[in-house]
Amino acid sequence: MAAASNNSNLMAALAYILMPLTGVIMYLVKPNDKYVRYHSVQAIILGIVLFVIGMLLGLMGAAIPVVGFIFALLAGGIWFLIEVLIWLYCM
């Protein structure tokens, strides 16, 4: 990709703050900027995927009667750390 301006870099970084919501907002604000559009779409897709996986882990924890609560806490904590690392990597 070509070098992006400071404004484009800021808009691309803002797309990841509350993904996928801010991804959609940045996509609508700068539809002609390829750099912002790329990061906006990536934030939208990543936000949806992370949400679905988090929900599945929560449902798995709820489905296991006795140790489900412990599983949900451990899996949720580990998944949160993974989400933060992915978020930092994308920025």
Side-chain angles (χ1 to χ4, degrees):
M1 274 189 192
S5 68
N6 287 338
N7 190 28
S8 293
N9 285 336
L10 177 63
M11 294 289 205
L14 288 175
Y16 293 103
I17 299 298
L18 292 173
M19 56 186 168
L21 177 66
T22 51
V24 172
I25 292 170
M26 291 304 132
Y27 189 84
L28 295 174
V29 168
K30 295 279 245 174
N32 297 329
D33 189 341
K34 287 184 179 184
Y35 186 74
V36 174
R37 193 170 62 215
Y38 170 81
H39 285 281
S40 297
V41 170
Q42 182 171 318
I44 292 166
I45 293 170
L46 186 61
I48 291 170
V49 168
L50 293 177
F51 176 77
V52 168
I53 292 174
M55 290 300 293
L56 289 174
L57 285 174
L59 289 173
M60 284 175 37
I64 303 171
V66 177
V67 293
F69 179 73
I70 296 169
F71 172 79
L73 283 177
L74 290 174
I78 293 169
W79 183 243
F80 176 75
L81 291 175
I82 292 170
E83 284 181 349
V84 169
L85 292 174
I86 291 171
W87 180 71
L88 289 172
Y89 178 76
C90 287
M91 288 186 75

